Amino acid sequence: MAGSTTDGTALAEMILAQGHSSYAPWLDRGPHLDLVERRALPEVRAEAWRHTNVARWYQAILEGSEPAREAHRIENPAEVEVVDFADPRAAELQEQRGEETYRLTAQPIAALNALLLGAGIAIRVPAGCAAREPVRIFDLPAAYQRVLVIIEPDARIELIEEPSTYTHRLVEVVVRPGGQLVHRRLQAASSHRECSLLAIRAEARACYELSQLSLGSDLRRNDIIATLAGNAANVSLRGAWRLDESRHLDNQIAVHHQAPGGTSRQTYRGVAAGRSRAVLNGRIEIAPGAQQSDATLNTKNLLASDTAEIYAKPELEIYANDVKCSHGATVGAIDAEAVNYFRTRGIDEHTARALFVRGFLREAIDDPDTAQTLGLIQ
Amino acid sequence: MSLLRVEDLHVEVDGKPILAGIDLAVDAGEVHAIMGPNGSGKSTLANVLAGRPGYDVIRGSVTVDGEDVGTLSPEERSLRGLFLAFQYPIEIPGVSNMEFLKAAVDAHALARGEEPPSAVDFVKRARVAAMRLQFDPDFLKRGVNDGFSGGEKKRNEILQMLILEPRLAVLDETDSGLDIDALQIVADGINAFRANSNAVVLVTHYQRLLNYVVPDHVHVLAGGRIVHSGDRGLALELEERGYGWLDD
């Protein structure tokens, strides 16, 4: 198929012809199938895919190049429940997750995930759990995968997504009142074309913190939808990316304040070198009635070559009148004065730039443990 | 052979002549002070010695231990024992002092054909230097000059000098903006560094620092040339009479 253009219609027809996956039959695929039947997959010119050629990802789907893998590779503390989606218990947990505030069923990419799904796990952290060991996801044995995470009230845990290859991974997180999830994910440099969708619902006083380091791939798209669904919820999204060669990373991030008194913090640092392309669309939406919301988005970016491209666009949509909201986006070059400073201390230019870039990324990933986990400390 | 020899150095910035024929010889064990009014070329001289980009050497030479360093990069000069304490040290958020110093020390060790020090040995050494410059113990974890006060930045330059043990230290207005306590700490650091094997060039506006760090030679730079040289008495005279009388 190399060189041919693949549109959503062709892909929809292929899926309808071959039939959807029979894995996790309890999963309600009705709305997803409906979306595909209406041929509503994004076209190449779709606004949401403005900076990423969706046809190249469709092509990866059609080629199905993913090697088959044996089993899940997950580590978890004993008190945490981990269930394969093939197990009927997963259906119960899916049912318990409750209202789907982020409207996954309207997401075309989520539809592809549901229809082609080959692996899934549900993770439930019981109420009040304070496990010290993290849950670590290394690998799921299919190209289309799902992770459902439920943090019950007042439970606290850390979730680490280790580098892994997939065509699409959907992670759904529900943090119940007073619960806390510290989520770290590392996306290593790769030659794959892959998409991920992370949907979070933070209920009253829940706290969700994401730290993510992405090194780009042939094509990588990260969608994040965070919803502050309960009063005084707290969401922190921290992202750093460092791209080189002709790697591509497209971040589409939306934070919805739907209840009063919520706080959201978004901090992103990105560096693009070589002929790479980095995209950040960061959107803050404050619903009517979500008074006293406090939302910030801050992104700084460095262009490390003349041929790299960076697109950074914050967006605000505010329907409440008593809120604090701010955003800022900058794109600049690596500070030549700083590089010279390193060099006058005997550090060669290449190392100087690398140290500078790592320091810059650590402005987003500032917690030492996280920086360690994500490999930002030597 | 002089440790540093500057001969007939002419330098331009963006086509504008700044240095118009500097001659200077600094021997091991000596401290030279370079004084002069604003715009006389003092900082240009300091930066040119360190190999900072953006300065065009039109004529003349700079040799360190007999080696012409004119075509060497800033890092190569550093590895040959040249150190510049910046007038305005750069802030580098996210890179800790520890990382920065270790990278520098490792580069110097490798250039000498030695193994870089272990992290433990290095931290010990850095802590001693930090204590001497009266930094808090958390100094090593802080970002390089990030959020430092003016005095802290200058003390950090001296700390780097003590750790890197250069052959020649060029201190560009390290005394400016220091209160009397910080000036004393900086001067103590410079005096601790002084040895028969190394040399110091102090670029300064004021003779105040020279009360603490007594120079062997004092030079006055004006209009891009050294117009007068003398001993410590010259600095005192300058303080009393200003620079005007030198034109006569």
Side-chain angles (χ1 to χ4, degrees):
Chain A
M1 298 258 334
S4 70
T5 55
T6 310
D7 61 18
T9 309
L11 182 61
E13 265 149 28
M14 184 209 85
I15 290 169
L16 294 170
Q18 77 175 27
H20 66 71
S21 152
S22 58
Y23 177 74
W26 49 267
L27 197 65
D28 177 12
R29 291 175 167 94
H32 301 307
L33 207 51
D34 178 56
L35 194 144
V36 170
E37 275 166 356
R38 286 188 286 109
R39 311 289 192 273
L41 295 174
E43 294 300 321
V44 172
R45 278 176 201 82
E47 180 58 24
W49 291 82
R50 191 181 168 152
H51 297 293
T52 299
N53 184 350
V54 69
R56 296 189 65 233
W57 186 59
Y58 289 159
Q59 220 176 333
I61 297 176
L62 289 164
E63 282 164 9
S65 54
E66 194 82 5
R69 278 165 285 191
E70 295 290 300
H72 302 321
R73 285 208 305 131
I74 292 160
E75 281 174 15
N76 58 282
E79 55 266 59
V80 173
E81 183 180 2
V82 175
V83 187
D84 191 294
F85 264 38
D87 187 322
R89 169 70 180 148
E92 283 173 39
L93 292 175
Q94 175 87 1
E95 185 69 26
Q96 281 172 26
R97 95 192 191 292
E99 193 195 354
E100 196 198 65
T101 29
Y102 24 74
R103 305 219 315 127
L104 280 186
T105 41
Q107 293 277 340
I109 300 304
L112 291 178
N113 178 286
L115 298 175
L116 300 169
L117 192 68
I121 46 162
I123 299 167
R124 183 181 151 273
V125 183
C129 172
R132 299 185 64 167
E133 291 302 308
V135 174
R136 256 175 216 278
I137 302 175
F138 293 94
D139 243 333
L140 298 181
Y144 303 88
Q145 30 183 273
R146 264 189 198 216
V147 179
L148 170 66
V149 182
I150 300 175
I151 311 294
E152 298 287 11
D154 302 312
R156 184 196 182 282
I157 201 145
E158 185 185 334
L159 172 69
I160 300 175
E161 280 182 75
E162 299 285 352
S164 171
T165 54
Y166 44 76
T167 306
H168 190 270
R169 176 181 283 182
L170 191 157
V171 180
E172 219 183 324
V173 173
V174 178
V175 189
R176 299 270 188 237
Q180 192 182 351
L181 179 65
V182 176
H183 187 178
R184 294 172 184 164
R185 68 175 173 170
L186 177 56
Q187 299 180 321
S190 88
S191 55
H192 289 81
R193 297 177 195 172
E194 53 196 42
C195 292
S196 74
L197 173 58
L198 168 59
I200 303 125
R201 192 176 78 218
E203 299 186 346
R205 303 177 327 283
C207 188
Y208 172 83
E209 288 172 37
L210 173 70
S211 298
Q212 172 168 297
L213 177 70
S214 309
L215 301 181
S217 61
D218 182 41
L219 182 159
R220 176 174 284 134
R221 163 129 168 170
N222 285 333
D223 286 39
I224 301 177
I225 309 168
T227 307
L228 290 82
N231 289 3
N234 200 311
V235 166
S236 161
L237 307 178
R238 294 180 159 272
W241 45 93
R242 184 175 61 209
L243 311 182
D244 56 13
E245 297 170 10
S246 55
R247 299 213 160 91
H248 180 101
L249 174 68
D250 184 347
N251 297 286
Q252 299 286 328
I253 302 173
V255 171
H256 300 283
H257 283 253
Q258 291 189 342
T263 303
S264 66
R265 294 284 174 265
Q266 298 183 67
T267 311
Y268 309 111
R269 294 291 181 270
V271 181
R275 303 173 54 80
S276 64
R277 175 186 279 196
V279 182
L280 170 76
N281 268 2
R283 183 184 169 79
I284 300 171
E285 208 178 294
I286 303 192
Q291 300 293 8
Q292 300 194 319
S293 289
D294 180 349
T296 64
L297 184 160
N298 171 281
T299 176
K300 290 186 188 170
N301 300 273
L302 294 180
L303 273 170
S305 80
D306 295 340
T307 44
E309 295 172 38
I310 292 175
Y311 301 89
K313 188 172 79 170
E315 287 175 273
L316 296 178
E317 221 171 290
I318 303 175
Y319 300 100
N321 54 15
D322 179 18
V323 301
K324 271 205 281 189
C325 215
S326 73
H327 65 80
T330 64
V331 179
I334 290 182
D335 182 357
E337 295 282 310
V339 171
N340 181 56
Y341 191 59
F342 281 100
R343 295 177 71 191
T344 61
R345 302 306 182 239
I347 301 164
D348 67 85
E349 187 172 0
H350 177 79
T351 308
R353 289 168 72 92
L355 281 169
F356 182 83
V357 161
R358 222 168 51 189
F360 176 78
L361 297 179
R362 275 213 299 260
E363 287 184 38
I365 311 293
D366 59 346
D367 163 58
D369 286 350
T370 306
Q372 190 91 53
T373 305
L374 300 182
L376 283 177
I377 290 179
Q378 260 185 341
Chain B
M1 183 173 57
S2 295
L3 203 171
L4 170 71
R5 182 172 287 279
V6 179
E7 282 180 312
D8 194 30
L9 187 66
H10 288 68
V11 172
E12 290 183 359
V13 176
D14 296 330
K16 192 180 155 211
I18 309 284
L19 298 183
I22 301 272
D23 291 289
L24 180 68
V26 178
D27 289 340
E30 290 182 343
V31 172
H32 288 235
I34 297 192
M35 305 184 70
N38 287 328
S40 58
K42 299 190 303 292
S43 283
T44 296
L45 177 60
N47 282 306
V48 168
L49 293 179
R52 183 178 179 170
Y55 296 85
D56 301 318
V57 175
I58 304 302
R59 207 160 82 204
S61 65
V62 177
T63 56
V64 174
D65 286 328
E67 183 188 8
D68 190 334
V69 298
T71 57
L72 298 183
S73 65
E75 58 268 37
E76 288 167 327
R77 295 181 198 214
S78 170
L79 297 175
R80 281 164 177 73
L82 222 151
F83 179 87
L84 172 68
F86 280 51
Q87 184 178 0
Y88 303 108
I90 312 293
E91 295 192 20
I92 309 169
V95 178
S96 70
N97 285 299
M98 165 85 179
E99 258 180 312
F100 179 68
L101 288 167
K102 181 79 164 69
V105 165
D106 288 359
H108 280 257
L110 291 171
R112 287 192 301 265
E114 296 168 8
E115 279 284 300
S118 73
V120 175
D121 287 346
F122 171 76
V123 168
K124 273 187 203 154
R125 209 167 121 198
R127 285 214 177 114
V128 170
M131 249 156 67
R132 182 185 282 283
L133 274 305
Q134 302 195 10
F135 277 111
D136 289 336
D138 71 345
F139 162 82
L140 288 173
K141 290 184 193 159
R142 292 171 67 189
V144 177
N145 295 322
D146 184 22
F148 280 30
S149 70
E152 282 182 312
K153 286 180 182 170
K154 298 299 181 80
R155 273 152 58 201
N156 193 9
E157 296 294 287
I158 299 302
L159 181 144
Q160 292 169 25
M161 177 185 78
L162 289 177
I163 285 184
L164 292 176
E165 299 174 331
R167 287 272 284 148
L168 175 71
V170 179
L171 312 184
D172 187 7
E173 299 200 20
T174 301
D175 54 337
S176 66
L178 294 184
D179 62 30
I180 199 74
D181 292 336
L183 186 71
Q184 182 74 58
I185 296 168
V186 161
D188 288 349
I190 299 170
N191 286 327
F193 170 73
R194 286 179 82 161
N196 286 331
S197 57
N198 62 36
V200 178
V201 174
L202 295 173
V203 173
T204 180
H205 259 301
Y206 306 106
Q207 93 84 33
R208 197 174 57 154
L209 176 65
L210 307 182
N211 290 333
Y212 301 97
V213 182
V214 179
D216 303 293
H217 300 276
V218 174
H219 310 278
V220 180
L221 196 60
R225 311 177 64 121
I226 289 176
V227 295
H228 208 83
S229 293
D231 60 12
R232 177 157 187 246
L234 176 58
L236 296 167
E237 196 170 356
L238 287 170
E239 179 161 76
E240 203 171 307
R241 299 176 63 189
Y243 292 107
W245 62 277
L246 289 164
D247 297 337
D248 302 337

